[in-house]
Amino acid sequence: MQRVSLTELAKQLNLSPSTVSRALADHSEVSEATKVRVRELARALNYQPNQLAAALRRGRSNTLGVLVPHITGHFFPQVVHGIATEASRAGFTVMICQSNEDAQQERKNIELLRHNQVEGILVSLANTTQDFSHFEELRQQGVPLVFFDRVVEDFRGTNVSAVVLDDHAGAYQVTSHLIEQGCRRIAHFTGPLHMNIHKNRHQGYRDALQAHGLPLDEQLIVHCEQSQAGGTAAMQQLLRELPAPPDAVFASNDLAAVGAMRVAKAAGLRVPQDVAVAGFSNETFTTLTEPNLTSVDQGCETMGISAVRLLQQMLHTTAEHRQPQPRNVVLKPQLLVRESSLRKPRE
């Protein structure tokens, strides 16, 4: 069925489009009789207002754009849940796009959100993004931006803020825990280091080794895709190339940790007695693996709620014609120790 326009309604009623618009908005300047005529015809023809056109007339859309790398697993769906809940509470709707970890798709999504007149954008980067000119264009146009989890480091502007986890602290805690369990040759599976999350987790691992007086062995650091397949390949590589297997694996992602654990068990190694394993993100499946997987909780919903509140503050400041101040919210990680890394009895 073809959508009936406001102009067509006006033509059938022999009224001006502006009168029809005011009648539908229950404006006091329009007589009750005219309002009744307009509403009856609108119902009969199943008229639906063009929200984008209305947004353009009002100068605001009450819509927030959300761009995530993917909506799989536990982390991003939970962050989006926090965003949607807080946005709804504040009177906003959300328009959600996913880049599928593709930089070109990310650019297309940004354009789509701009064309839909969103009032601000909440974004977590695709892991292939290394050119940030599309975000620079948004910044220069004054579109409020809040990055979360994956951010453009050193990207500044009054209309840019960020919500991140203290990934360095989380990785430091995991590595220190493994050392306290008696591990001395701890392998680290890391993602692309141009991304803040992997760079900071990698640095946390290195700093914990140094703080505990352990040498850094570059052979134990594997750059791999942060997926089960990536963790599987990385663990197979270590078992194939090293004279002796590592006594622990800390992966920058839970899926990679599960891949490592499966390969270790298939090779006859006991987890955690021979190889302790830990991940990062506290995915739902971490309590379903055998043994349960040690991980770091990232406070997913809190991250989403914090991102919306930051964006609200920016919009409110702009509405008052004041210059918004960029803010960084850093959330604290929580180490969740489970059987996959627990070599010593709990105290």
Side-chain angles (χ1 to χ4, degrees), residues 9 12-13 36-47:
L9 271 184
Q12 290 196 37
L13 291 164
V36 170
R37 285 178 61 214
V38 171
R39 289 169 188 158
E40 285 180 351
L41 185 61
R43 274 194 297 271
L45 298 179
N46 195 28
Y47 167 74

Side-chain angles (χ1 to χ4, degrees), residues 204-215:
Y205 159 80
R206 297 173 73 103
D207 289 347
L209 291 179
Q210 184 178 29
H212 289 83
L214 293 181

Side-chain angles (χ1 to χ4, degrees), residues 137-148:
E137 288 174 14
L138 288 176
R139 190 190 68 78
Q140 290 181 357
Q141 291 163 5
V143 177
L145 269 174
V146 174
F147 289 97
F148 62 91

Side-chain angles (χ1 to χ4, degrees), residues 256-305:
V258 167
M261 189 155 62
R262 292 185 66 180
V263 171
K265 291 167 74 173
L269 298 170
R270 298 168 301 162
V271 179
Q273 295 90 338
D274 299 321
V275 182
V277 180
F280 208 109
S281 286
N282 193 31
E283 296 280 353
T284 306
F285 60 77
T286 54
T287 57
L288 303 176
T289 58
E290 178 55 45
N292 290 178
L293 181 65
T294 290
S295 190
V296 175
D297 187 75
Q298 296 177 269
C300 316
E301 284 197 45
T302 302
M303 182 171 287
I305 291 168

Side-chain angles (χ1 to χ4, degrees), residues 26 36 43 47-48 64 97 107 111 133-134 143 199 203 222 225 231 237 239 242 280 284 291 304 314 332 339 341:
D26 199 25
V36 170
R43 274 194 297 271
Y47 167 74
Q48 298 294 323
L64 304 180
C97 300
R107 285 179 171 275
E111 282 302 303
S133 57
H134 47 308
V143 177
K199 184 178 82 172
Q203 192 60 49
V222 184
E225 181 182 331
Q237 175 186 325
L239 295 183
L242 296 179
F280 208 109
T284 306
M314 295 163 73
K332 291 183 178 179
E339 288 74 19
S341 66

Side-chain angles (χ1 to χ4, degrees), residues 216-232:
L216 177 70
D217 185 350
E218 294 289 351
Q219 293 184 92
L220 293 173
I221 299 171
V222 184
H223 297 262
C224 66
E225 181 182 331
Q226 292 300 294
S227 64
Q228 187 171 328
T232 296

Side-chain angles (χ1 to χ4, degrees), residues 22 46 71 81 87 100 120 143 176 190 215 230 242 255 262 308 321:
R22 287 198 296 270
N46 195 28
I71 312 180
H81 176 70
N100 293 312
V143 177
S176 296
T190 182
L242 296 179
L255 283 168
R262 292 185 66 180
V308 173
H321 305 292

Side-chain angles (χ1 to χ4, degrees), residues 23-325:
L24 290 170
D26 199 25
H27 200 284
S28 59
E29 291 181 3
V30 180
S31 71
E32 197 60 38
T34 299
K35 289 177 185 176
V36 170
R37 285 178 61 214
V38 171
R39 289 169 188 158
E40 285 180 351
L41 185 61
R43 274 194 297 271
L45 298 179
N46 195 28
Y47 167 74
Q48 298 294 323
N50 186 324
Q51 297 296 340
L52 179 56
L56 288 169
R57 288 194 299 271
R58 291 194 309 267
R60 60 175 303 177
S61 65
N62 279 0
T63 302
L64 304 180
V66 180
L67 177 53
V68 293
H70 51 79
I71 312 180
T72 56
H74 170 74
F75 177 72
F76 284 113
Q78 288 299 107
V79 175
V80 169
H81 176 70
I83 288 172
T85 301
E86 187 64 21
S88 177
R89 189 180 293 126
F92 291 96
T93 57
V94 295
M95 184 175 179
I96 302 167
C97 300
Q98 59 177 339
S99 65
N100 293 312
E101 301 286 17
D102 181 81
Q104 286 303 110
Q105 186 61 45
E106 181 178 88
R107 285 179 171 275
K108 291 177 182 176
N109 287 335
I110 289 293
E111 282 302 303
L112 175 66
L113 294 173
R114 284 175 58 195
H115 290 156
N116 279 272
Q117 301 291 315
V118 296
E119 296 195 36
I121 298 177
L122 305 149
V123 59
S124 190
L125 296 171
N127 62 24
T128 55
T129 300
Q130 297 194 55
D131 173 12
F132 307 110
S133 57
H134 47 308
F135 295 114
E136 178 59 29
E137 288 174 14
L138 288 176
R139 190 190 68 78
Q140 290 181 357
Q141 291 163 5
V143 177
L145 269 174
V146 174
F147 289 97
F148 62 91
D149 187 47
R150 306 178 184 182
V151 306
V152 184
E153 293 193 318
D154 302 320
F155 187 64
R156 295 287 181 265
T158 55
N159 56 315
V160 180
S161 291
V163 182
V164 296
L165 183 78
D166 191 338
D167 289 292
H168 179 279
Y172 189 97
Q173 289 172 22
V174 173
T175 308
S176 296
H177 160 70
L178 292 170
I179 294 168
E180 288 159 6
Q181 293 298 305
C183 303
R184 293 297 178 266
R185 298 181 62 252
I186 303 168
H188 178 46
F189 296 175
T190 182
L193 295 182
H194 70 267
M195 291 191 63
N196 64 301
I197 58 171
H198 299 306
K199 184 178 82 172
N200 293 334
R201 291 171 195 177
H202 179 66
Q203 192 60 49
Y205 159 80
R206 297 173 73 103
D207 289 347
L209 291 179
Q210 184 178 29
H212 289 83
L214 293 181
L216 177 70
D217 185 350
E218 294 289 351
Q219 293 184 92
L220 293 173
I221 299 171
V222 184
H223 297 262
C224 66
E225 181 182 331
Q226 292 300 294
S227 64
Q228 187 171 328
T232 296
M235 192 65 182
Q236 289 171 338
Q237 175 186 325
L238 290 181
L239 295 183
R240 183 175 61 250
E241 296 179 358
L242 296 179
D247 57 13
V249 173
F250 162 44
S252 191
N253 165 288
D254 288 332
L255 283 168
V258 167
M261 189 155 62
R262 292 185 66 180
V263 171
K265 291 167 74 173
L269 298 170
R270 298 168 301 162
V271 179
Q273 295 90 338
D274 299 321
V275 182
V277 180
F280 208 109
S281 286
N282 193 31
E283 296 280 353
T284 306
F285 60 77
T286 54
T287 57
L288 303 176
T289 58
E290 178 55 45
N292 290 178
L293 181 65
T294 290
S295 190
V296 175
D297 187 75
Q298 296 177 269
C300 316
E301 284 197 45
T302 302
M303 182 171 287
I305 291 168
S306 300
V308 173
R309 289 179 178 172
L310 263 186
L311 195 55
Q312 276 185 273
Q313 291 172 14
M314 295 163 73
L315 291 169
H316 181 71
T317 303
T318 303
E320 292 185 342
H321 305 292
R322 292 187 288 125
Q323 194 82 320
Q325 293 300 311

